Amino acid sequence: MKARKRIRDIFLAATAFAALAIGYSVDAMSGDAAPVRVAATSAPPPADAAPTRRVVIRFLTDSDFPPFNFYDEDGVLVGFNIDLARAICLELGTSCDIKARPWEELFTDLKKGEADAVIAAHKVTVSALKDVDFTDRYFHTPGRFAGRKDEPQVEMSPSGLDGKRIAVARGTAHEAFLKAFFRDSPLAIYENADLAREALAAGKADFLFDDGISLAFWLNGTLSRQCCEMRGGPYLEPKFFGDGIAIAVPKSDPGIRLLLNKALDRVRASGRFEELVQRYFPVRIY
C-alpha cells in the first residue's frame, strides 16, 4: 500500500502523465522493444462456446490509485480503469455498475459474488491466480533508466554502462535486475526511490533505474526540476517486473472472462482504447 500511496502523491504533483504501450517484450541486454503475444492465464472455454449476454456487468475497483482509479475534486470516481470499464460495457451493450471498495476487500467481495469483475490495476501473479482468474493483459509496468539532460548519450546496455554509477532503491525488483544484468556498474543504493531520484538530480549518480510509471511522473513534475530524461528502452521481464495488469474475474465464471476479452478486442479495434491512453497518459513510457 505504501508504494500505491507514493505513486498517488507523485501523480498529484506532476504536470503530465506517463503513457502505456500494449503487448511489448524487451530484451534484457539491449532494451530493444519487440511485439509479443501474451498467453492466456488459463484454458479458455471451447471455441464454439458463445458467452452469455449480460444485462449489467458489476465492476469493483478502489479509489486511491491515480491515474487508474481515483476520486476527482468533485468526489466523482474517475480514471483510466473507470473509463475502460464503461467502454467495455458500451461494446457489449450492457449497463455498467462500478463501485469502489478498499483494496484489500476486492478479491474477497469478488469471490463472494458481489461483483462480476475487478478492474483496479491488479498485476497477474502466481499468488493472485490462486484466488481469481484474469482477462488478457491490458497494461505492463516497465523498468526504465533515466539520465541527466546535460550528460552525453551512451548505449544503455551492460557494456555501455560499464563503470557508470547507477542509483536505485534498496530491496526492489529494480535493484535485483541491475545485480543480475549490469554487474560491472557500481550501484548507489538508497533507502527509497525518492532519495535515488534526488541523487540523480544532484549529480551523485550517472543514471537512475526505477519504475517507469512513477519515474515519468517525477520527470514531468516539479520535484525533478526538469533535470533529467528517460534513457534507453523499457524493460518488462516478468521475473522482475510482473506479468502485466489485467481484469480479475471469478474462477467460477469462465463466461465473463471470454466476454470481457472479446470486448477488450473491440475497444482496441474501435480506436477507443487509444483515445483513453492519450487522455490519461500523454507522455509515453515505452
Side-chain angles (χ1 to χ4, degrees):
M1 291 298 293
K2 290 183 179 179
R4 295 170 63 82
K5 290 287 187 181
R6 188 182 305 116
I7 292 177
R8 177 181 184 276
D9 293 341
I10 295 171
F11 171 84
L12 294 174
T15 57
F17 303 127
L20 61 87
I22 304 303
Y24 283 86
S25 70
V26 182
D27 182 86
M29 304 306 292
S30 67
D32 295 329
V36 65
R37 298 186 185 278
V38 181
T41 58
S42 65
D48 58 352
T52 304
R53 187 182 185 279
R54 310 290 174 108
V55 175
V56 60
I57 296 180
R58 301 167 299 158
F59 285 99
L60 291 181
T61 188
D62 81 341
S63 58
D64 194 28
F65 195 42
F68 293 97
N69 22 264
F70 62 102
Y71 286 116
D72 67 10
E73 59 186 11
D74 297 319
V76 178
L77 187 63
V78 296
F80 178 81
N81 283 335
I82 309 306
D83 284 352
L84 178 58
R86 292 188 177 124
I88 287 171
C89 291
L90 182 63
E91 288 295 333
L92 295 175
T94 66
S95 297
C96 213
D97 179 44
I98 308 173
K99 294 180 179 177
R101 300 280 173 84
W103 172 263
E104 60 273 10
E105 297 177 11
L106 293 174
F107 282 2
T108 300
D109 290 348
L110 178 67
K111 290 190 291 183
K112 287 164 57 177
E114 296 183 13
D116 301 302
V118 171
I119 184 166
H122 277 94
K123 291 184 178 181
V124 180
T125 64
V126 173
S127 176
L129 286 168
K130 294 177 181 178
D131 294 318
V132 299
D133 204 349
F134 284 98
T135 63
D136 294 339
R137 284 68 159 167
Y138 65 88
F139 186 81
H140 289 81
T141 53
R144 291 298 307 265
F145 280 106
R148 292 183 57 84
K149 293 179 180 178
D150 56 6
E151 290 296 322
Q153 296 288 334
V154 298
E155 182 183 0
M156 304 304 291
S157 65
S159 60
L161 297 185
D162 186 356
K164 299 294 184 180
R165 186 173 175 84
I166 305 175
V168 67
R170 184 185 305 278
T172 61
H174 305 91
E175 179 190 1
F177 181 85
L178 291 176
K179 288 181 175 178
F181 295 106
F182 291 79
R183 298 175 181 176
D184 295 324
S185 298
L187 302 185
I189 301 175
Y190 293 87
E191 290 304 311
N192 56 58
D194 292 335
L195 292 176
R197 293 167 191 158
E198 182 56 33
L200 176 66
K204 298 178 180 179
D206 299 306
F207 296 98
L208 166 72
F209 192 60
D210 198 358
D211 167 67
I213 302 172
S214 56
L215 179 58
F217 295 158
W218 178 73
L219 290 173
N220 291 281
T222 57
L223 294 178
S224 71
R225 304 181 294 278
Q226 301 298 307
C227 68
C228 309
E229 62 187 2
M230 296 282 195
R231 293 287 184 92
Y235 296 85
L236 286 158
E237 283 69 23
K239 177 181 177 181
F240 296 93
F241 309 121
D243 199 21
I245 289 173
I247 302 171
V249 296
K251 288 183 175 292
S252 60
D253 188 1
I256 191 66
R257 180 177 179 276
L258 180 61
L259 199 68
L260 294 178
N261 278 341
K262 290 190 174 182
L264 281 169
D265 287 342
R266 294 174 189 168
V267 171
R268 291 190 182 99
S270 70
R272 178 60 175 162
F273 192 90
E274 183 60 24
E275 291 177 9
L276 296 180
V277 169
Q278 295 300 322
R279 177 186 302 176
Y280 288 100
F281 307 93
V283 179
R284 293 193 175 276
I285 60 172
Y286 293 87

